[in-house]
Amino acid sequence: MSFSSKEDFATSARAILCWALLLLPSCFFWSEARSTTTIDLTITFDTSFAINGVRASGSTADRALGPTTSPDSPDAPLQSPYRLVILLTSETANALNGAEVAVRVEGLANNNVVELVGKTSVIVREGTVTTASVTLDVPPLPVCGDGEILAGVEACDDGGVIGGDGCGANCALEPGFACEGLPSTCSFVCGNGVVNENEGCDDGGNQNGDGCSGICSVESGYKCIGEPSSCFRICGNGQVDSGETCDDGGASSPGCSASCQTETLYECPTPGMPCRLICGNGALNPGETCDDGGAASPGCDANCQTEALYACLTPGAPCTPLCGNGALDGTEICDPGGGGIFSLIGGTTARHNCLSEGLLQGAGSQVTCSPSCTLVTTSCTGGSIDSAAKIVSAIAEAFDNVKNPGHDVISIRQCASGCTVGGAYQPSSAILINEPGTDEGMTLRPMSGIVQFSGTMLGGTEVLQLRSGKNNLAAFDFVDAPLAISFHSADTTGANTVLACSFAASAGSAQFVDVQSKGNTILANRFDAGGTNTYAINVAAGAANTTIVANVISGNFDFAIDVGLTSTGTTILDHNSLRIVGASKYGIHLNTGQGLCARNNAIIGDGSSRGYQIDSAPTIACANGPATGNNGVLNAGSECAGAGCGASTCLTGSPGPLCSIIVGYQASGPPTLDTNFCPGPPLRNAGADAGYFMDPTPDIGARQSGRINLYGSSVLLACP
């Protein structure tokens, strides 16, 4: 058969394939002489098998040809007969000239599944066309050892069933071998540095123990990459590789075995880090506060941490609930056991009741404790404490020793009735605290947030008047209240405290806190006043043993702190910061011949204001620590005027100077004096105790470098 052109050849066949000797890079079958060597196959088959492709391969005693598949993109089933022309390259034709070629044709269904198989043989003649017919039939069951390779079932078939020669007894390639041809000819190739089909690695050698075995399989605990293969240990590299459940990086810690398997009762969550005992093993391991042995009982959570309101005393045993045991445990504020007990409210001797929760008891009954150790207030039927009238009613309930014996805490809610536009309480008369009988006192505080009082409807009357003692006023804001608090002389007990409050009056005439009773404390408050004012704090004659500590005062005052004649006791001035403006206005006025303990007070002026006015020299006496020290006046027209004042010091000579850091503070005074008054909200939660500032390092004023010292402590807090 001959063809006048490549086009004639192509149109005469349904499909044209090209065979070249194995490993030749390409198939050039059309020569200048237009001579071809072809095998022209006519393939018949049962069309009910719906094959849509054929695959042809050939072999001689020492060569393998193909396989090649037609058509390139299978679509509809093929029709029988099907003609397939195989073109041989000139090199292949020359090499096979006169040789017998065994041809195998496979009928393929979808996904290259072999459905039918046929065989024939031809003698190749260079430059001619050899024709042959092949009938496809259902392939026989694979028989290993027949010298034929059934695709998809056998990897090789050397005509025998004896292993060890490269093709195993089940016609599978043996490690380290490569096989070709029919029957298969196998040779050992492990060690050639090339990873062949049935090799997991090939490091160019045949030694065991280096990661790539003598039969080119990857050894346990190793990983091999590249050609020739480079192998390295996996277990111990700090990474959890395939087949491993842990890897502690070779730390040899308990929990991760030498083969990188997690051991019983351990967990290894972080590669490269030691494992840890599992929560639930019944032992109290580091970082655990309980372990109930996996009992899944309440009280010990999934991370072996003790839950609130439980006690877990015995590892391996269930935890026991604390709520209901008649004792206050952990964060409990009450416990229904033993008839019910309630915790003290921080810093007081008061217990939780309706008033402490911002409610009036009214005709109802007191709070109770729930089975979960929380307060139940449904019995408080008098309504919320949210108007000036209800504050007066709350004070009356606190004085009722049948309903509320002892010291009580009244939590005042945000104003809801009779308020200013800004939400401040606006009483029309002074709110009076005047306890009948023995003074047990009360604590007034906000329920939450900032609670404000306005004095705009009071005229010349104070907002709060205390005629009995042992009371605490904490964290309130007094706005437009030039007369805010009066400790009345009728109070024979005293011992009241004003803590962390803010006082402001924009129109002047301020007389914020008037102290006429004994033993009172003014602690960590802020005073800001516009206009011209009388005083921020006045200690009247007869008001003995007053403590004024850690207050910030700013404005134009005749005397910011005015200490009058005292009958007995000692006035304590400690860590106060005063910013005074206005000619002939003073920071501190001392008109007492009695005791004075003054330390760490800073008075900063505007160049025309004064530091101290001393009309009657006090007796310097402190219960602990130095009598005076670390006081200073900066940028004032004069430091001191009056009895005992020298040209550049206050109270010169014995018992010691009142202004004692550096002599001669003027506008060019030392930068160590703090002028940062932390503008913004008033002091909050400054805390109080029975001590005074005893920090050995110089510590001037209520605030230093933008911070405030806790009363009685050297702990620093950031400015609010």
Side-chain angles (χ1 to χ4, degrees):
M1 180 180 292
S2 61
F3 302 96
S4 61
S5 69
K6 180 163 47 176
E7 289 74 14
D8 291 342
F9 192 105
T11 56
S12 69
R14 293 188 183 178
I16 301 174
L17 301 181
C18 173
W19 276 357
L21 288 174
L22 290 181
L23 305 180
L24 288 179
S26 60
C27 181
F28 299 102
F29 56 82
W30 198 259
S31 69
E32 290 300 326
R34 297 187 178 179
S35 63
T36 58
T37 303
T38 64
I39 300 173
D40 189 350
L41 297 177
T42 300
I43 304 169
T44 59
F45 50 89
D46 184 350
T47 57
S48 65
F49 284 93
I51 65 173
N52 60 357
V54 293
R55 180 166 57 205
S57 60
S59 63
T60 65
D62 59 353
R63 291 182 175 87
L65 303 168
T68 53
T69 302
S70 171
D72 291 336
S73 301
D75 189 6
L78 302 182
Q79 299 299 314
S80 177
Y82 183 83
R83 187 179 172 204
L84 179 67
V85 176
I86 302 171
L87 301 170
L88 304 183
T89 64
S90 58
E91 292 88 351
T92 302
N94 181 264
L96 296 180
N97 187 32
E100 182 178 12
V101 177
V103 179
R104 176 187 174 95
V105 179
E106 298 169 335
L108 308 177
N110 289 329
N111 298 319
N112 289 331
V113 176
V114 177
E115 294 285 352
L116 303 173
V117 176
K119 297 180 181 179
T120 188
S121 62
V122 297
I123 303 295
V124 175
R125 301 299 181 186
E126 187 175 9
T128 65
V129 176
T130 302
T131 61
S133 298
V134 179
T135 300
L136 304 184
D137 205 348
V138 177
L141 293 175
V143 177
C144 181
D146 63 359
E148 299 288 338
I149 298 176
L150 184 60
V153 178
E154 296 174 330
C156 61
D157 196 321
D158 60 358
V161 291
I162 299 174
D165 56 0
C167 189
N170 59 351
C171 287
L173 281 175
E174 294 178 322
F177 285 85
C179 300
E180 62 181 12
L182 291 174
S184 301
T185 301
C186 303
S187 58
F188 190 77
V189 293
C190 178
N192 64 358
V194 178
V195 180
N196 297 303
E197 180 182 356
N198 65 327
E199 295 177 336
C201 59
D202 196 321
D203 58 3
N206 304 114
Q207 301 298 316
N208 292 322
D210 58 0
C212 188
S213 73
I215 56 173
C216 288
S217 61
V218 179
E219 295 176 317
S220 177
Y222 283 84
K223 184 175 183 179
C224 300
I225 58 175
E227 292 181 325
S229 301
S230 297
C231 302
F232 51 88
R233 279 194 173 275
I234 298 174
C235 182
N237 65 357
Q239 299 178 359
V240 178
D241 298 294
S242 177
E244 297 179 346
T245 61
C246 63
D247 195 313
D248 59 6
S252 300
S253 58
C256 190
S257 71
S259 58
C260 285
Q261 301 302 309
T262 304
E263 296 173 336
T264 304
L265 295 182
Y266 281 89
E267 62 180 359
C268 309
T270 307
M273 299 297 292
C275 302
R276 64 192 182 201
L277 283 164
I278 295 174
C279 173
N281 62 359
L284 199 62
N285 305 310
E288 297 178 347
T289 60
C290 62
D291 195 313
D292 58 7
S297 58
C300 189
D301 67 17
N303 298 314
C304 282
Q305 301 301 309
T306 304
E307 296 174 332
L309 303 181
Y310 281 88
C312 306
L313 304 178
T314 305
C319 303
T320 56
L322 296 175
C323 186
N325 63 358
L328 295 173
D329 303 291
T331 59
E332 292 179 352
I333 61 174
C334 65
D335 194 293
I341 61 171
F342 297 84
S343 65
L344 296 178
I345 300 174
T348 73
T349 59
R351 295 188 181 274
H352 292 274
N353 56 20
C354 294
L355 298 176
S356 69
E357 305 311 303
L359 301 167
L360 292 170
Q361 180 178 337
S365 57
Q366 274 298 355
V367 297
T368 57
C369 191
S370 75
S372 59
C373 289
T374 58
L375 292 175
V376 178
T377 61
T378 53
S379 58
C380 302
T381 60
S384 298
I385 304 172
D386 57 8
S387 69
K390 288 184 177 180
I391 294 174
V392 173
S393 296
I395 293 171
E397 281 195 7
F399 289 154
D400 186 338
N401 284 326
V402 176
K403 287 184 176 181
N404 301 294
H407 186 97
D408 291 291
V409 170
I410 299 176
S411 296
I412 299 177
R413 297 173 180 263
Q414 301 291 320
C415 182
S417 176
C419 321
T420 66
V421 174
Y425 284 93
Q426 192 173 222
S428 58
S429 60
I431 297 173
L432 181 64
I433 299 177
N434 187 15
E435 185 171 7
T438 303
D439 289 353
E440 294 175 316
M442 66 185 65
T443 295
L444 273 65
R445 67 178 187 181
M447 181 73 185
S448 62
I450 297 176
V451 172
Q452 295 182 326
F453 287 91
S454 170
T456 53
M457 296 182 65
L458 292 172
T461 305
E462 58 270 62
V463 176
L464 288 167
Q465 186 182 108
L466 281 65
R467 287 178 170 263
S468 57
K470 298 184 179 179
N471 302 292
N472 302 313
L473 308 176
F476 293 113
D477 282 8
F478 294 87
V479 296
D480 293 321
L483 304 177
I485 299 173
S486 170
F487 298 102
H488 201 276
S489 59
D491 172 18
T492 59
T493 303
N496 300 289
T497 298
V498 178
L499 169 66
C501 290
S502 173
F503 300 85
S506 59
S509 302
Q511 302 174 52
F512 288 124
V513 178
D514 185 21
V515 183
Q516 299 182 30
S517 59
K518 62 184 179 181
N520 298 294
T521 298
I522 316 298
L523 171 64
N525 302 283
R526 185 184 185 99
F527 301 84
D528 293 285
T532 301
N533 306 278
T534 306
Y535 55 75
I537 302 170
N538 175 52
V539 182
N545 297 320
T546 302
T547 298
I548 303 172
V549 172
N551 297 283
V552 175
I553 303 173
S554 179
N556 180 310
F557 295 96
D558 292 341
F559 306 108
I561 299 176
D562 189 358
V563 181
L565 291 168
T566 58
S567 56
T568 58
T570 299
T571 299
I572 298 173
L573 303 177
D574 202 339
H575 279 78
N576 298 288
S577 290
L578 283 59
R579 177 72 169 91
I580 307 302
V581 297
S584 301
K585 301 298 179 179
Y586 288 87
I588 297 175
H589 178 211
L590 300 177
N591 187 21
T592 174
Q594 302 301 318
L596 174 69
C597 178
R599 296 182 295 226
N600 297 297
N601 298 289
I603 303 174
I604 294 89
D606 65 352
S608 63
S609 58
R610 311 288 180 87
Y612 291 86
Q613 170 72 32
I614 303 178
D615 293 335
S616 178
T619 299
I620 303 299
C622 292
N624 51 47
T628 63
N630 297 341
N631 298 289
V633 179
L634 175 66
N635 199 30
S638 66
E639 293 178 357
C640 184
C645 291
S648 59
T649 59
C650 306
L651 294 180
T652 56
S654 180
L658 186 63
C659 305
S660 59
I661 294 182
I662 296 178
V663 174
Y665 284 114
Q666 297 297 330
S668 60
T672 53
L673 262 178
D674 179 29
T675 57
N676 181 357
F677 286 93
C678 294
L683 308 184
R684 296 290 182 200
N685 303 319
D689 59 29
Y692 301 103
F693 285 84
M694 295 299 293
D695 192 340
T697 60
D699 190 320
I700 311 247
R703 301 182 178 210
Q704 182 176 4
S705 301
R707 305 173 79 90
I708 175 172
N709 284 67
L710 281 175
Y711 179 51
S713 167
S714 60
V715 177
L716 292 174
L717 295 178
C719 285

